[in-house]
Amino acid sequence: MNEPSRTRPPLRQTWPAAMAARYRAAGYWRGETFPGFLRARAAQHADDIAVVGGQVRLSYAQLWAQAGRIGAGLFAAGLLPGQTVVVQLGNVPEFVTVVCGLFRAGLVPVFALPAHRLTEVAHVARTAHARAYIAAAGQDGFDYRSLARALQAQLPALATVVIVGEAAEFLAVADLDGEVATLPPDPDPQSVAFLQLSGGSTGLPKLIPRTHDDYIYSFRASNEICGIGRDSVYLVALPAAHNFPMSSPGFFGALYAGARVVLSPGPGPDSAFPLIAREAVTCVGLVPPLALLWVQAAATTTHDLSSLQVVQVGGAKLVPEAARRVIEGLGCQLQQVFGMAEGLVNYTRLHDRPELVIGTQGRPISPDDEVLVVDDLGNPVAPGSTGHLLTRGPYTIGAYYNDPAANARAFTEDGYYRTGDMVQQLPGGYLVVQGRAGDHINRAGEKISAEEIEDHLLAHPGVFDAAVVSLPDAYLGERSCAFIIAQGEPTQAAGLKAWVRGRGLAAFKVPDQIVFVDAFGTTAVGKVSRRELRARLREGFMQQTGETR
Ligand code: OOB
C-alpha cells in the first residue's frame, strides 16, 4: 500500500514547461481565474439569476457577495490561503457559494461525493493534508456531523469544520463572516484551483490537481461544443462534485457563459422533471442507467419537458440500443460524453450524423488532445483496431497529487495518462469505447465485450437494463453472466438466450447464465458497478463450490 507523504508536497501544475508554453501560445490557457471570471460576470450580469436551488435564487451579484462573505469568514476562522479544504455537499446552493468562496480566498477545495463515507473522506483529507471539512448537517438520512467527529479524531490537523444547516458544536456556513478586505488578490492562473477525485474504479480515490487555466479552458471550449450561451438553463442532476456536471460543460460552464444553473436535489425524474418544467431547463447531463429511468418516466409524465434541447449521456458506455431509446423517449438532441476527471473529454457534436451520435462516444474537445491507441506492449494498433487509450493534452494532468505509486502505474514516461479504457478510433478521431481493460470476459480464450452483449439484450422489449460480467468457471476460466432488470411482459432466461442467439452471434457470446434483479449496485455517481455485480456472483459461486478463497 502506498502511503502519502507526511509533510505536504507542493501543489503544482503537472505539465512540463514546454507544453505549458505551447498551450498558452495556442490561446487555450488565457490567464483567467475562477475569482476573475466570477467577478466579471457579477459586474456584467449583476441582476441575472445565476443559481437556483431549493427556495433560493441567487443573482450573479449575490453569488459574488456570498463568496466574499464565506471566504472572509473562513479567514476569520483561522484558515490561510493555499490550505486545502474537503467539501462534501449535495446539490444545494451552498455548494456553489462555498466553492466560489474558497476560490475567492485562495483556499483549495478537495471534492468528495455525498456518497463517500469515513474511509474515503479520511483518505482524501489525509492525502491532501486538509485543514478543514465543509459538509451538510445531513442528507438522505446520513449525519455528516458524526462523520466530521470521526474525521477529527483521526486527523488532528483538520481543525475547522463548517456545516450547512444545524451546525451543533461546529461553525455554520450561514454564520461565516469577515472583512472582505482581508481576501487576497486573484491567484496565479497556473496554480492548482482544486483537487478533484478520480472515478476510483479500483481502490480509494486519487487526487487530481486541476489549475485555473486548464479547467477554465475545458469548460469554455465545452460551452461552444454543447451550445451553452447566456440564455441556457443547465440542470445539475448528478452530484455537483462530479466532473461531468461540474465542467462538461457543467455548472461552471454555465456560470462562465452567464447562464442559469438549476440544482436538482436528486437525479431521479421525481426531483428533476418539475424543475425542468418550472425553470425551462435546456441542458442536462446523465449517466446511462439514469437516462433509461428518465425515458421510462417521460412516457407518462405530466410535466412539460419541451424546453430540453440537449440531453447529454456519459460516465459509462451508452450502447446503441440505449442511445436510440433516449432519442425517441426524450425527444431531444442526444450528446454522448466520454470524459474523465483526469482531463480528456470527448463529445459527439450537435450536428453530427445520427450514426456517430448513436454509435460513438465522440471526439476530443481540443485539437491538441493527443490520443494514442496501443496494444498490451504499448505499440500503436492498426487504425480502427481496439487498444488501450493513452492521452495527454491541455487539460489532462501529468500526475496525481501526492501518490508516487499510482503515478508510476498511470502515466507513461512521456506524460501520457493511461486511461484504462479500451477504445477503437474511427476516422475523424471519433472514439468507440469497448469497455475497461479487465471488464471483458475471457471465456476459454475467447474475448467477449460486455457492452456488445448488453446492446443485444437491450434490443429485447422485455429488457429495461442489462449488465454483463464474468464469473469464474472451473473449465472455461471465465463464463458470462447477464444481470437483467426486466420490464413489460415477463421474460424467461431461455427466451433471452434464444433472442441473443437469434441475432446471429457466435455461440460463445450467448450469456452462460442470466440473473433477474430489481436493481444494479451503482457507484457514488450512479454508474453501474460491475465490481459489485462480480462480487455478488463470486459470493454465490463460493457458496456453491464450498471454496473459502
Ligand atoms: C467521468 O469521469 P470519471 O473520472 O468518474 O470516470 C472516468 C471513466 C473513464 O475512464 C471511462 O472508463 C468511463 O468513466 N466513462 C465512459 C464514458 N464516460 C466515462 N465509458 C464509456 N462511455 C462513456 N461515455 O465519468 C466523466 C467525466 C467528465 C465527463 C463525463 C464523464
Side-chain angles (χ1 to χ4, degrees), residues 102-455:
L102 292 167
F103 288 152
R104 255 200 99 170
L107 290 159
V108 180
V110 185
F111 294 118
L113 291 164
H116 288 141
R117 292 295 178 259
L118 183 61
T119 306
E120 292 98 358
V121 182
H123 171 77
V124 302
R126 185 179 298 114
T127 311
H129 294 256
R131 305 303 285 265
Y133 171 65
I134 306 183
Q139 191 192 311
D140 299 329
F142 184 77
D143 188 340
Y144 291 90
R145 294 165 304 190
S146 51
L147 199 156
R149 290 177 197 116
L151 273 179
Q152 286 196 310
Q154 283 188 21
L155 303 167
L158 199 139
T160 307
V161 172
V162 188
I163 296 292
V164 173
E166 181 45 59
E169 72 270 35
F170 304 118
L171 287 168
V173 168
D175 293 340
L176 289 177
D177 210 357
E179 200 39 67
V180 174
T182 60
L183 292 170
D186 287 352
D188 175 352
Q190 286 190 63
S191 65
V192 173
F194 60 88
L195 292 165
Q196 180 62 277
L197 266 49
S198 68
S201 57
T202 50
L204 290 164
K206 297 176 278 290
L207 297 178
I208 296 165
R210 302 292 300 255
T211 64
H212 296 266
D213 254 341
D214 94 79
Y215 209 63
I216 291 174
Y217 167 52
S218 79
F219 57 74
R220 189 180 66 231
S222 293
N223 276 350
E224 208 160 300
I225 294 169
C226 308
I228 298 292
R230 203 178 152 191
D231 295 334
S232 302
V233 181
Y234 179 83
L235 183 74
V236 184
L238 297 171
H242 189 265
N243 198 58
F244 181 12
M246 188 178 279
S247 68
S248 304
F251 67 87
F252 276 135
L255 293 176
Y256 187 88
R260 183 173 297 185
V261 173
V262 178
L263 297 153
S264 179
D270 290 354
S271 315
F273 285 10
L275 285 171
I276 294 174
R278 192 185 82 195
E279 303 293 334
V281 168
T282 61
C283 180
V284 64
L286 305 173
V287 289
L290 194 58
L292 293 178
L293 206 63
W294 279 40
V295 168
Q296 196 180 45
T300 54
T301 188
T302 54
H303 296 289
D304 179 5
L305 307 180
S306 63
S307 59
L308 271 179
Q309 292 166 6
V310 178
V311 170
Q312 306 177 294
V313 183
K317 170 89 176 232
L318 184 72
V319 296
E321 280 298 334
R324 287 190 195 97
R325 284 192 192 177
V326 171
I327 293 169
E328 276 168 31
L330 296 177
C332 56
Q333 185 135 24
L334 167 68
Q335 179 170 52
Q336 294 216 35
V337 188
F338 165 37
M340 51 208 75
E342 286 79 358
L344 182 70
V345 179
N346 303 273
Y347 295 102
T348 56
R349 302 312 200 248
L350 299 182
H351 300 293
D352 275 344
R353 300 191 311 275
E355 307 90 85
L356 290 173
V357 175
I358 289 170
T360 80
Q361 280 61 59
R363 62 182 165 87
I365 291 177
S366 176
D368 273 301
D369 280 322
E370 297 174 70
V371 162
L372 294 177
V373 184
V374 302
D375 63 19
D376 290 348
L377 301 175
N379 301 313
V381 299
S385 303
T386 300
H388 302 269
L389 170 65
L390 310 185
T391 186
R392 63 181 187 187
Y395 59 98
T396 299
I397 57 160
Y400 292 111
Y401 178 64
N402 194 12
D403 199 340
N407 287 335
R409 287 192 302 271
F411 297 90
T412 69
E413 277 179 13
D414 302 335
Y416 282 89
Y417 169 54
R418 297 184 212 270
T419 65
D421 295 316
M422 304 296 293
V423 302
Q424 259 177 302
Q425 192 179 34
L426 307 182
Y430 283 79
L431 298 174
V432 179
V433 180
Q434 302 291 354
R436 304 273 310 161
D439 272 351
H440 63 253
I441 297 111
N442 190 343
R443 190 181 188 279
E446 306 275 16
K447 310 289 189 302
I448 305 171
S449 150
E451 282 86 354
E452 182 190 354
I453 311 309
E454 288 162 10
D455 192 38

Side-chain angles (χ1 to χ4, degrees), residues 454-524:
E454 288 162 10
D455 192 38
H456 287 291
L457 288 164
L458 271 170
H460 190 288
V463 175
F464 174 71
D465 206 352
V468 176
V469 297
S470 66
L471 159 80
D473 184 279
Y475 300 103
L476 300 165
E478 289 179 1
R479 59 201 159 101
S480 63
C481 177
F483 284 90
I484 301 289
I485 303 175
Q487 66 179 7
E489 296 289 307
T491 315
Q492 304 296 322
L496 278 182
K497 287 189 189 184
W499 167 267
V500 175
R501 221 173 283 120
R503 290 176 66 91
L505 287 183
F508 68 83
K509 292 184 182 174
V510 177
D512 293 298
Q513 188 176 344
I514 290 188
V515 178
F516 290 93
V517 292
D518 293 333
F520 302 142
T522 53
T523 67

